[in-house]
Amino acid sequence: FFFKQKAAYEISTRDWSSDVCSSDLNAEQFAAPGEQPRLPRFRFEPGRRRHAERLAAVIEVLDPDILVMSEVMSREGVEAIAAIVRDKGRGEFRGYHVDGADAFSGFDVAMFSRIVPDEVDGRRIAIHLPARRGARDRRDEAVEDDEGWLRQAYSFVDDRGQARTEEAVLQRHAVAYFTVCGHRLGILGLHLKSNPSDAGSNAQRAAETRIARDVVRRMIVARGYTPIVLGDLNDYDPDVPMADRKSTRLNSSHEWI
């Protein structure tokens, strides 16, 4: 998703929508030097440093006002990339990170911006997750889950022909709000479930998109912001031939959102 590339601070009273540049980029399992994640792309520090430099070089070429980056793993990694970009002469560029809930991969969704996000509920970037089932407060009383909409049940038939029902939450996403010359933008960065050849993955992705749709409605539009959805949607167009010609388990996530 791109707008015309021009710095947001250059916007005056003309058509603002053609002057803000936003983009998304998959970091491909970026881990900062010294981290010990489960799924790093590079095991050793020289490779990780080159990885950070290459990501910063792509950002330099795109020159976005706002960028969503998926498959980062920590606040330290986000800051390492942002520091390289600032060293390239873009001193106003900052990174914003929030921990995701994907315990297996450790992948998070972060944002980079030359515009400072609005502070909403005391945060400049947020993730929306339901309360952990069975959670209790400091008085050892049950915590009421009043955010059930952040959970979605889904059903599918597995490879053994058995009907199964599971529950999805939107593990990898982030929300940030920006005000640009009086225009309020709510950015939802998404990283949806992949693997189009697996029925369970497709059903989970569809459930995740329903949650994302509610995040847009409840957390962005309801606050008076215009929503923009960016990220790695892992969306597969059923009208486009795939390398796996036997696969018929395709869906279109953007239609759900």
Side-chain angles (χ1 to χ4, degrees):
F1 183 96
F2 282 93
F3 288 128
K4 178 182 176 183
Q5 295 193 29
K6 185 174 289 187
Y9 51 74
E10 294 178 2
I11 301 171
S12 56
T13 58
R14 58 189 183 275
D15 180 12
W16 68 275
S17 65
S18 65
D19 289 320
V20 180
C21 172
S22 55
S23 179
D24 60 79
L25 176 65
N26 188 309
E28 297 187 344
Q29 303 164 246
F30 174 69
E35 292 182 331
Q36 300 297 325
R38 175 179 289 189
L39 300 172
R41 184 174 181 84
F42 296 100
R43 291 180 57 192
F44 303 111
E45 293 201 6
R48 294 184 182 185
R49 285 195 294 269
R50 288 193 296 270
H51 194 177
E53 290 164 359
R54 290 167 181 166
L55 290 170
V58 172
I59 294 173
E60 183 183 21
V61 171
L62 293 175
D63 194 23
D65 293 307
I66 302 166
L67 180 138
V68 169
M69 183 178 290
S70 56
E71 292 194 14
V72 296
M73 300 188 187
S74 70
R75 187 182 307 274
E76 291 75 17
V78 169
E79 179 51 36
I81 297 168
I84 297 173
V85 176
R86 290 195 296 271
D87 288 344
K88 293 175 175 289
R90 289 159 173 78
E92 73 282 9
F93 214 72
R94 294 291 182 272
Y96 301 90
H97 171 270
V98 61
D99 286 325
D102 187 343
F104 176 77
S105 71
F107 294 160
D108 304 327
V109 176
M111 296 194 196
F112 295 82
S113 177
R114 66 173 84 237
I115 310 163
V116 178
D118 298 344
E119 188 171 307
V120 176
D121 294 336
R123 298 171 292 182
R124 299 200 184 276
I125 187 170
I127 186 171
H128 297 288
L129 298 167
R132 180 172 53 84
R133 291 194 184 279
R136 308 185 73 83
D137 64 16
R138 294 180 179 178
R139 296 171 297 178
D140 199 32
E141 295 180 357
V143 175
E144 182 178 353
D145 183 3
D146 59 354
E147 295 187 334
W149 60 273
L150 289 169
R151 306 177 188 273
Q152 280 281 337
Y154 63 94
S155 300
F156 63 98
V157 177
D158 65 18
D159 292 337
R160 298 181 179 178
Q162 300 296 314
R164 296 181 55 183
T165 298
E166 304 285 352
E167 186 177 77
V169 300
L170 200 57
Q171 299 179 103
R172 302 181 300 204
H173 77 279
V175 179
Y177 305 88
F178 299 85
T179 300
V180 183
C181 295
H183 299 281
R184 292 154 60 99
L185 306 177
I187 307 294
L188 170 59
L190 276 180
H191 186 189
L192 299 179
K193 179 67 175 176
S194 62
N195 194 355
S197 297
D198 179 73
S201 295
N202 285 334
Q204 180 179 337
R205 187 185 318 106
E208 289 175 344
T209 59
R210 293 193 290 272
I211 300 171
R213 180 179 58 194
D214 282 343
V215 170
V216 168
R217 291 172 174 171
R218 293 169 178 256
M219 310 310 296
I220 297 178
V221 175
R223 286 189 163 110
Y225 287 81
T226 299
I228 297 175
V229 180
L230 299 169
D232 187 351
L233 303 186
N234 281 309
D235 191 30
Y236 303 92
D237 188 340
D239 294 328
V240 176
M242 304 252 323
D244 182 2
R245 298 186 180 277
K246 297 180 182 179
S247 174
T248 59
R249 301 169 179 171
L250 304 177
N251 68 353
S252 190
S253 299
H254 71 275
E255 293 179 0
W256 284 99
I257 297 175

